[in-house]
Amino acid sequence: KSLSLEEYINPFYFFTFMKKIIVVDFSGTLIKPFVAEKANQIRYKTLGIKLPSLTQQKRDHATKHHYDVLKAFISKKFGIIDRMKIILLQRDGKELLLSGRNVTTLIMTDMFRDCMYKVAQRYRLKIFTDGILTSLRAIQKKGYSLAIVSGIRKDIITGVLAISRCPVRFDFIYGQDPFLTRDDNQTLINDLKKHGKIWYVIGDKFDDLEPAKRIKAKSIFLKGGHPVGGEEQFADYSISSAKELLTIIQ
């Protein structure tokens, strides 16, 4: 990689570029599966939608099928159709033109944010996967930087961490915008690579783990989240407990 003049004269460039980064998925990995499940149940109840079976809820969370269900219901409930044009005024005074589809996504994810905050406020540190905070703090002491890469909105992630009083500091958090236009872990990880070398990617489902191979990082499948199948065969490591991270990451 050729360096720009600014990089040559910046004494902190090499320190920044050479960070050793561990990527952790958020929902189902850092936090327990019940958090998103319970938040989604509250959202369904608020909208007045009949809850599917628990098995279907878990499947929907892994495949995101519930997005289509929720957006269709919201569209009908509020009379919003895809071809509508709705103007959002931003904080800087600029106007953002939204399609009806954008607005149904915004309503859907806003409701999920509110419900996730409610669950985080109720359960606080109990939302975190058993043993993962202790393991991550130990990993930090070994000199690694911690990053969250997730298909969940960034304001949901950071809000849940703040409300739950999470004791672990994450160096980087890459999540989604309110319209889910960055719902691609590979794109987010490519952005994260600018800050250093990614050594391990930890996740509970295939989409979390798959980008690791392209960036020559090791993948760690943490069982117990929302797998879709094939994770154990794909991952470099499969673990049943977050404590096992310390036997892998040296």
Side-chain angles (χ1 to χ4, degrees), residues 102-121:
N102 289 148
V103 173
T104 56
T105 300
L106 179 62
I107 294 171
M108 176 186 73
T109 58
D110 275 352
M111 291 188 71
F112 188 62
R113 175 202 59 205
D114 298 346
C115 297
M116 286 286 282
Y117 286 1
K118 185 177 292 187
V119 176
Q121 192 276 333

Side-chain angles (χ1 to χ4, degrees), residues 3-228:
L3 304 183
S4 66
L5 177 61
E6 181 182 358
E7 290 168 342
Y8 270 118
I9 63 177
N10 181 358
F12 301 106
Y13 173 75
F14 286 98
F15 172 76
T16 301
F17 187 73
M18 294 306 293
K19 284 183 181 293
K20 300 190 300 180
I21 302 172
I22 306 296
V23 171
V24 184
D25 169 60
F26 186 63
S27 182
T29 305
L30 180 64
I31 63 173
K32 294 176 180 177
F34 87 86
V35 182
E37 291 165 7
K38 188 170 284 293
N40 198 42
Q41 289 166 9
I42 298 170
R43 177 169 55 174
Y44 267 65
K45 185 176 181 180
T46 302
L47 286 169
I49 306 175
K50 182 180 178 182
L51 273 172
S53 67
L54 186 58
T55 300
Q56 184 62 47
Q57 288 179 53
K58 290 179 181 293
R59 188 180 300 119
D60 286 350
H61 185 86
T63 62
K64 300 179 181 177
H65 169 69
H66 61 301
Y67 285 6
D68 296 329
V69 174
L70 288 163
K71 284 194 281 190
F73 188 90
I74 290 168
S75 177
K76 183 177 180 180
K77 182 179 179 69
F78 296 105
I80 301 170
I81 57 178
D82 288 354
R83 67 174 179 269
M84 284 180 173
K85 301 298 180 185
I86 298 172
I87 298 174
L88 173 68
L89 184 63
Q90 302 180 90
R91 289 184 62 184
D92 59 5
K94 294 181 180 178
E95 294 182 345
L96 181 64
L97 182 63
L98 303 176
S99 67
R101 187 170 182 81
N102 289 148
V103 173
T104 56
T105 300
L106 179 62
I107 294 171
M108 176 186 73
T109 58
D110 275 352
M111 291 188 71
F112 188 62
R113 175 202 59 205
D114 298 346
C115 297
M116 286 286 282
Y117 286 1
K118 185 177 292 187
V119 176
Q121 192 276 333
R122 178 177 178 183
Y123 291 95
R124 296 289 177 89
L125 293 181
K126 292 179 181 178
I127 68 172
F128 294 97
T129 296
D130 294 339
I132 199 163
L133 296 180
T134 300
S135 293
L136 291 177
R137 280 186 288 195
I139 289 167
Q140 276 186 318
K141 289 179 180 179
K142 294 180 180 182
Y144 291 96
S145 296
L146 298 179
I148 294 174
V149 173
S150 173
I152 289 179
R153 280 171 51 164
K154 185 169 182 175
D155 59 320
I156 296 177
I157 297 169
T158 53
V160 166
L161 294 179
I163 292 167
S164 64
R165 309 295 194 269
C166 177
V168 174
R169 176 186 55 81
F170 290 89
D171 302 277
F172 309 100
I173 298 177
Y174 282 75
Q176 305 308 314
D177 61 73
F179 308 103
L180 305 184
T181 60
R182 290 165 56 82
D183 195 8
D184 176 6
N185 280 8
Q186 184 65 58
T187 299
L188 299 178
I189 282 180
N190 287 341
D191 287 347
L192 176 61
K193 279 170 52 183
K194 299 171 185 176
H195 296 283
K197 177 176 172 53
I198 299 172
W199 287 61
Y200 295 92
V201 177
I202 308 165
D204 66 296
K205 59 182 181 297
F206 190 85
D207 286 350
D208 306 328
L209 305 171
E210 198 272 336
K213 192 158 288 187
R214 299 184 194 175
I215 59 171
K216 298 181 180 179
K218 296 293 184 181
S219 56
I220 304 175
F221 170 48
L222 178 58
K223 300 176 186 177
H226 297 102
V228 296

